């Protein structure tokens, strides 16, 4: 018998957990395969389905969006400028990646193992030890976007002014149309 302070082997821990699930006992009896190995095979099949089947895109989206969003929230609440910058850089790189991916999607369909590659790439972007987003931002995006900042800001300002003018014109036209109709509605007479 093992001493009290020695760690329990992983297989024994999992088997103890599986002993509490009656279906696993039945499967072991019917197949003659140890329930530990049945559970490992089931987990591997589920993982393969998620990575290479329907769930791959959802998993990539969850990992690439939800975890960084939650971490960004925590960084904002901590008010740590270094952590905020880290996540802000991630979002700039992630936005550029999503934009490029949107245009290349018809071609990416034919890339084998695209979603596992994408998943690995997204993890590389935000993993603190690799700081992939910082690498891409500093080596590619900063130099690519910086010369166009003023032009983009000017275009956005012009578009905003045009949209505001269009909304004002539309609301004035609607108001004029509505004021012309006041008093001309038909009154329903009781029978």
């Amino acid at each position: 018998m093992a001493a009290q302070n020695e760690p329990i082997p992983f297989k024994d821990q999992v088997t103890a957990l599986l002993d509490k699930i009656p279906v696993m006992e039945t499967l072991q009896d019917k197949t003659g395969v140890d329930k530990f190995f049945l559970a490992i095979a089931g987990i591997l099949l589920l993982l393969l389905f998620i990575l290479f089947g329907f769930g791959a895109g959802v998993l990539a989206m969850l990992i690439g969006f939800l975890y960084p969003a939650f971490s960004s929230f925590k960084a904002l609440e901590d008010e740590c400028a270094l952590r905020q910058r880290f996540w802000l850089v991630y979002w700039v790189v992630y936005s550029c990646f999503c934009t490029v991916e949107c245009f290349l999607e018809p071609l990416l369909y034919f890339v084998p193992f695209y979603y596992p590659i994408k998943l690995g790439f997204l993890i590389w972007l935000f993993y603190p030890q690799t700081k992939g987003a910082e690498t891409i931002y500093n080596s590619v995006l900063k130099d690519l976007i910086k010369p166009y900042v003023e032009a983009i800001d000017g275009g956005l300002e012009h578009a905003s002014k045009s949209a505001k003018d269009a909304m004002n014109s539309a609301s004035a036209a609607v108001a004029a149309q509505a004021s012309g109709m006041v008093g001309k509605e038909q009154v329903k007479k009781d029978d």
Side-chain angles (χ1 to χ4, degrees):
M1 186 166 160
Q4 290 286 40
N5 56 358
E6 285 186 28
I8 300 171
F10 176 72
K11 184 179 179 199
D12 294 344
Q13 291 179 23
V14 172
T15 302
L17 178 67
L18 295 174
D19 285 340
K20 297 175 184 175
I21 304 171
V23 173
M24 294 306 292
E25 192 70 39
T26 306
L27 282 173
Q28 178 176 303
D29 292 342
K30 289 189 177 188
T31 62
V33 178
D34 187 2
K35 59 185 142 205
F36 174 78
F37 297 112
L38 288 171
I40 295 295
I43 290 169
L44 286 174
L45 284 173
L46 181 64
L47 192 60
L48 285 172
F49 177 73
I50 288 173
L51 285 176
F52 303 109
F54 274 133
V58 173
L59 182 65
M61 187 271 302
L62 288 174
I63 289 176
F65 186 79
L66 287 182
Y67 173 75
F70 181 66
S71 296
S72 298
F73 170 78
K74 289 191 318 186
L76 288 172
E77 294 301 310
D78 289 348
E79 297 181 8
C80 175
L82 212 58
R83 198 170 304 128
Q84 289 173 356
R85 185 184 192 298
F86 175 81
W87 287 111
L88 191 57
V89 167
Y90 171 82
W91 289 113
V92 169
V93 173
Y94 182 78
S95 299
C96 291
F97 171 73
C98 287
T99 302
V100 169
E101 183 186 38
C102 180
F103 288 107
L104 295 179
E105 192 169 7
L107 299 174
L108 294 175
Y109 176 78
F110 296 105
V111 175
F113 307 113
Y114 172 68
Y115 284 111
I117 293 168
K118 177 182 176 180
L119 185 61
F121 174 72
L122 292 174
I123 291 170
W124 176 77
L125 284 180
F126 67 72
Y127 195 63
Q129 281 73 18
T130 60
K131 294 186 180 180
E134 289 272 348
T135 303
I136 290 177
Y137 177 78
N138 289 327
S139 62
V140 178
L141 291 179
K142 185 167 49 170
D143 296 333
L144 192 67
I145 296 173
K146 207 170 195 173
Y148 302 105
V149 170
E150 286 183 27
I152 293 170
D153 283 343
L156 289 173
E157 190 175 311
H158 181 272
S160 174
K161 186 180 180 311
S162 297
K164 192 179 214 180
D165 291 345
M167 289 300 291
N168 287 339
S169 297
S171 63
V174 168
Q177 187 73 25
S179 67
M181 297 174 77
V182 172
K184 294 184 180 178
E185 59 274 343
Q186 293 184 0
V187 179
K188 184 178 178 184
K189 295 181 181 180
D190 293 333
D191 293 329

